[in-house]
Amino acid sequence: MSIREWEGLKVPTAGEFALDKAHTRVGFVVKHMMVSKVRGHFADYEGKIVIAENPLESSVDVVIKAGTIETGAADRDGHLRSDDFLGADKFPEITFRSKRVTDLSGNEFTLVGDLTVRDVTKEVKLKVEFNGAANNPWGQEIFGFGAETEIDREEYGLTWNQALETGGVLVGKKVKIEIEGEAVRQA
């Protein structure tokens, strides 16, 4: 395994990694009826992470298939795929492309990049926790991480909502994005 010491962390040597779908979850949380939360995830995505010689110059590119959104309720999933929300037929991909790494503190840092949903691109800041690097039982080099951010869905054109008789709205504006994952060395 090619691990090196960097800033007190054990990190992989430079190279290309891919998200391991068996050990990664690209999820989200949004308020429902102002009183509870709905959790969901995307079943299909691809992600490439390039670890640079200087880890602060590393990059991330992720493509998510919008039509693979799952919340555990078929009718809701269909509505989320529709033009009221993701418009998955017209906008089949959600993308994230990193621009820079900032605010390194121990094993935590901020990953700044462009998130594109429905052809609307906004800069976001993901709070990332690097969870370490190792060899899995099959001899593959891996590393683990967690990342999260919060976006205003209306800024991306996801403006559908319904007023409630008791006040408030059916679907919250803020969406928390939560990613837990592993990446496996490709090259």
Side-chain angles (χ1 to χ4, degrees), residues 24-42:
T24 300
R25 183 176 190 277
V26 178
F28 62 90
V29 181
V30 66
K31 278 261 192 162
H32 178 252
M33 293 189 63
M34 312 297 291
V35 298
S36 65
K37 296 177 182 175
V38 169
R39 294 183 181 279
H41 69 276
F42 292 91

Side-chain angles (χ1 to χ4, degrees), residues 134-181:
N135 269 352
N136 67 21
W138 301 274
Q140 297 170 304
E141 292 179 50
I142 63 167
F143 68 86
F145 65 93
E148 63 180 43
T149 192
E150 187 174 87
I151 63 168
D152 179 337
R153 66 182 178 86
E154 293 182 355
E155 291 181 357
Y156 292 89
L158 286 78
T159 57
W160 182 92
N161 223 328
Q162 185 174 343
L164 300 174
E165 285 182 23
T166 56
V169 291
L170 186 64
V171 183
K173 283 176 53 168
K174 300 292 183 186
V175 178
K176 185 175 182 181
I177 299 169
E178 301 174 322
I179 303 162
E180 287 295 328

Side-chain angles (χ1 to χ4, degrees), residues 2 54-55 61-62 88-89 91 113 131-132 139 142 144 150:
S2 302
N54 174 355
D61 282 298
V62 177
D89 289 339
F91 309 102
N131 294 327
I142 63 167
E150 187 174 87

Side-chain angles (χ1 to χ4, degrees), residues 69-139:
I69 193 168
E70 296 178 2
T71 64
D75 288 345
R76 178 174 51 220
D77 295 348
H79 192 202
L80 292 172
R81 291 180 188 111
S82 78
D83 285 340
D84 283 346
F85 288 95
L86 293 175
D89 289 339
K90 293 180 197 164
F91 309 102
E93 295 181 341
I94 298 168
T95 62
F96 174 80
R97 289 188 172 52
S98 68
K99 294 160 73 171
R100 63 189 172 279
V101 175
T102 64
D103 305 323
L104 177 67
S105 177
N107 68 330
E108 295 181 351
F109 58 91
T110 300
L111 183 62
V112 180
D114 288 333
L115 176 66
T116 302
V117 181
R118 292 183 61 108
D119 278 352
V120 175
T121 302
K122 301 277 183 192
E123 186 175 273
V124 297
K125 295 178 178 181
L126 282 96
K127 179 183 171 193
V128 180
E129 181 178 9
F130 176 76
N131 294 327
N135 269 352
N136 67 21
W138 301 274

